[in-house]
Amino acid sequence: MRRTAIALMVLLVGACGGEAPRPDSGGSTDAGASEDSGTPWFEEAHESVGIDFTWRSGHGERLYFPEIMGGGAALFDMDRDGDLDVYFVQAGGVLLDPAQRPGNVLYRNEGDGTFTDVSEGSGAQDRGFGMGVAVGDFDNDGLDDLYVTNLERNTLLHNLGGGHFEDVTERAGVGGRVWTASAGFFDYDRDGDLDLFVVNYIHWSVANELVCSSKLLEADYCSPKSYAAPAPDVLYRNEGDGTFTDVSAEVGLRTAFGNGLGVVMSDFDMDGFEDVFVANDGMKNQLWHNDGGKGFHDVGVQTGCAVDQDGRIKAGMGTHVVDYDDDGDEDLLVVNLTGEPDPFFRNDRDHFTDRTPLMGLTAVSRPYTRFGMGFCDFDLDGYVDLFQASGRVTRSPDIPGERTFDQPNLLFRGSASGRFEEVRPQGGTRPVLSATSRAAAFGDLDGDGSVDIVIVNRDRPAHVLLNRAAAGKPWIGLRVVEPSGRAALGAVVEVEFGGRTVTRRVRSAFSYCAANDPTIHVGIGEGVAVSEVRVRWPDGTTRSFGALDPGRVHVLGR
């Protein structure tokens, strides 16, 4: 049952009235006692857990556009020991030869709350100008592989086990030569192996870099629209023998393209095949409808998610989907640039309805530039919350120096009303964190049942946010797998408890330039039992698991 009536009542009593956008302080917080009220939801712990990573932009005297757009991170269980390891992509400078760049960094989870840098000798130290990363077991051997997106050639790292990886890019045929942002694995043709969707940004090189300025500043980073060179996205079909075929033209992806940054997959119209949503920066978003595994066509305009309800094209960056209203289909959020509210699209099966004003997100998020983001039940109350990582892409005239791009993160608490409320202190931490943040990756790092966050920051140490809001609250974890042991990306899970049916989809690709743990975490409430868990695998196979005990992660197979 939808929450429309409740939401309309909220609107009528003026819940949006009186909310004025905060001035863009470039990372400072509002004055007043309300800023520091409340208990922090997260503890920033990168030093105590042993993660010391900084994404190096390589910025020198001249501004190069890629310096302001990276980088990415993945949370995944590389060695199948039951806990999440962390992988960071690195950059180092567009002018550097790849051999001179610092390599990507791999941290092993020791299972005791600490991490160890095991990059040396792992084979995972790709040295491209790194943007993001996708995770998926492309060869069905039960070990998660890594696809690294770069400014130049992308890299496919085959997981050999034991913390070792092999670069199989050339053999697999998935390198590409275009500036890539996000990517994601999914089984678009339901043949049992994972295909790869790659979101490309613009055609860019040092030789064609532009010099941009504003009325207030002599030099600044350019907009992607300044280059007028959007790059088409790519779909690689998995051939099941360790190789992929670029089928982009064959399946219809060349009919529309934009400045792509974010990607998420979902079966929006519930026809049994996963569709692909691409968030474009300054161009219309695309919703690629999956035509039964045979091809795709863009339905973004006709379904109402290419632009907002006023017809405005926005700077789409990170994106995620979730069934926030418990009606069985997934709704869509895209985060945007300073001055642009985040459009929240309610899924009505054959079209989307822009519900942004009713969601409580408009005024709070507008002053910030949001990149990494995710819907997760951080406080385990049974309703999804929302985290957004922020950071400017142009200089602030009010804040000189190296902190000119820094902004605080945002955290919103979800509720049964369907409306989100901002959590204070801002971003859920004390002190409030302010950085130029890009990727945000989500997963339970310490095995306590609650979802933590890893945030990549430009030229500053990554943040590791350990969840303290869910301590002691009842929860259930669900890890859905295929017979090979790989995550069943695209599977749908229904959890019945307390008179509700919560629907969640198994996915890794969402946020911005990030790969996330596909394990599903659901808060169930005090004194409430899980009465039924059902799974529908991507090929349509279904299974009921009955009542399951809370307080642990259940591995669900066919």
Side-chain angles (χ1 to χ4, degrees):
M1 178 179 179
R2 294 201 181 277
R3 303 170 187 155
T4 306
I6 297 175
L8 287 173
M9 289 176 63
V10 171
L11 180 63
L12 290 172
V13 299
C16 292
E19 292 184 24
R22 299 180 183 85
D24 186 355
S25 60
S28 64
T29 57
D30 290 344
S34 64
E35 174 57 40
D36 219 24
S37 63
T39 302
W41 284 31
F42 298 100
E43 174 192 355
E44 203 295 299
H46 80 272
E47 291 185 350
S48 63
V49 302
I51 290 180
D52 181 20
F53 173 83
T54 296
W55 188 83
R56 301 294 181 185
S57 70
H59 171 63
E61 293 184 3
R62 183 176 176 181
L63 301 176
Y64 291 103
F65 190 21
E67 298 170 352
I68 199 63
M69 299 302 293
L75 304 187
F76 74 121
D77 185 359
M78 69 170 174
D79 44 14
R80 296 187 66 174
D81 65 352
D83 49 35
L84 293 178
D85 309 293
V86 184
Y87 184 76
F88 292 100
V89 303
Q90 185 56 280
V94 299
L95 298 180
L96 292 179
D97 181 270
Q100 299 176 299
R101 290 179 182 150
N104 297 347
V105 180
L106 178 65
Y107 286 93
R108 182 180 63 216
N109 190 330
E110 301 296 354
D112 60 0
T114 65
F115 291 79
T116 300
D117 184 342
V118 294
S119 310
E120 190 68 32
S122 69
Q125 292 180 288
D126 185 57
R127 297 182 186 276
F129 188 98
M131 293 298 299
V133 58
V135 170
D137 178 9
F138 77 88
D139 58 349
N140 284 325
D141 65 354
L143 296 170
D144 281 332
D145 309 300
L146 299 169
Y147 185 74
V148 179
T149 66
N150 290 316
L151 179 62
E152 304 104 352
R153 190 204 79 156
N154 301 326
T155 301
L156 179 62
L157 298 174
H158 180 221
N159 190 339
L160 304 176
H164 296 283
F165 294 81
E166 177 188 9
D167 184 342
V168 296
T169 310
E170 298 306 318
R171 181 166 73 246
V174 293
R177 295 289 175 183
V178 181
W179 180 356
T180 301
S182 300
F185 287 94
F186 74 128
D187 186 3
Y188 87 91
D189 50 7
R190 299 194 349 181
D191 65 352
D193 49 34
L194 294 177
D195 311 294
L196 177 61
F197 196 97
V198 176
V199 176
N200 293 320
Y201 192 37
I202 64 172
H203 292 281
W204 184 92
S205 69
V206 171
N208 72 7
E209 181 59 295
L210 304 174
V211 177
C212 295
S213 61
S214 67
K215 295 179 180 179
L216 299 175
L217 298 167
E218 292 185 359
D220 210 341
Y221 288 108
C222 299
S223 160
K225 292 182 286 187
S226 302
Y227 300 88
D233 301 328
V234 176
L235 176 64
Y236 292 107
R237 183 180 65 210
N238 191 332
E239 303 297 352
D241 59 0
T243 68
F244 291 77
T245 300
D246 182 347
V247 294
S248 309
E250 175 186 328
V251 301
L253 292 189
R254 291 294 180 262
T255 60
F257 52 90
N259 307 314
L261 287 180
V263 67
V264 67
M265 292 81 173
S266 180
D267 182 6
F268 290 106
D269 59 352
M270 309 291 285
D271 67 352
F273 289 86
E274 281 201 292
D275 313 303
V276 181
F277 177 82
V278 178
N280 286 317
D281 186 0
M283 298 182 70
K284 292 178 181 178
N285 302 319
Q286 280 109 36
L287 176 56
W288 293 106
H289 179 260
N290 188 335
D291 300 323
K294 305 300 182 183
F296 292 84
H297 69 282
D298 180 17
V299 297
V301 172
Q302 69 192 65
T303 59
C305 62
V307 297
D308 71 7
Q309 63 182 357
D310 298 319
R312 291 175 296 187
I313 295 173
K314 296 180 178 179
M317 295 168 184
T319 185
H320 197 189
V321 294
V322 70
D323 179 15
Y324 89 103
D325 50 7
D326 290 352
D327 68 347
D329 55 31
E330 292 195 299
D331 311 286
L332 171 66
L333 180 70
V334 188
V335 295
N336 301 123
L337 191 70
T338 296
E340 299 176 343
D342 299 331
F344 187 98
F345 298 107
R346 188 187 69 192
N347 187 350
D348 292 320
R349 300 290 172 95
D350 60 351
H351 70 282
F352 291 88
T353 302
D354 189 337
R355 307 286 288 180
T356 306
L358 296 176
M359 303 305 297
L361 302 174
T362 302
V364 176
S365 61
R366 182 182 285 153
Y368 306 100
T369 295
R370 293 80 62 194
F371 276 86
M373 52 84 71
F375 288 109
C376 300
D377 185 3
F378 295 115
D379 61 352
L380 293 178
D381 67 350
Y383 298 96
V384 291
D385 312 300
L386 172 63
F387 182 88
Q388 299 179 341
S390 305
R392 295 174 60 92
V393 291
T394 56
R395 291 172 167 175
S396 169
D398 301 320
I399 304 173
E402 62 181 7
R403 302 198 70 96
T404 187
F405 302 102
D406 291 0
Q407 290 183 320
N409 304 315
L410 299 171
L411 176 64
F412 301 87
R413 181 179 181 271
S415 67
S417 72
R419 186 174 173 83
F420 291 91
E421 296 181 355
E422 187 184 9
V423 173
R424 292 298 183 106
Q426 195 170 29
T429 63
R430 184 180 294 118
V432 172
L433 302 174
S434 184
T436 308
S437 300
R438 294 299 179 250
F442 301 85
D444 182 4
L445 293 173
D446 51 9
D448 65 355
S450 60
V451 177
D452 310 303
I453 311 172
V454 173
I455 305 168
V456 180
N457 300 315
R458 177 187 190 255
D459 295 326
R460 296 187 183 280
H463 291 146
V464 177
L465 305 188
L466 298 182
N467 190 330
R468 303 305 186 210
K473 297 182 180 179
W475 61 280
I476 189 169
L478 305 167
R479 184 178 300 138
V480 185
V481 299
E482 298 287 0
S484 66
R486 75 164 173 84
L489 300 181
V492 176
V493 179
E494 294 181 342
V495 184
E496 294 184 3
F497 62 96
R500 295 178 60 197
T501 299
V502 169
T503 303
R504 297 289 181 263
R505 185 174 292 267
V506 180
R507 62 168 53 88
S508 172
F510 64 87
S511 186
Y512 172 79
C513 288
N516 308 274
D517 179 28
T519 303
I520 293 169
H521 291 259
V522 178
I524 59 176
E526 295 289 347
V528 176
V530 174
S531 57
E532 178 68 86
V533 174
R534 291 182 296 271
V535 177
R536 183 175 70 251
W537 275 265
D539 65 359
T541 301
T542 61
R543 182 179 174 186
S544 173
F545 292 87
L548 296 177
D549 294 332
R552 55 175 288 228
V553 174
H554 298 264
V555 179
L556 308 180
R558 296 174 188 257

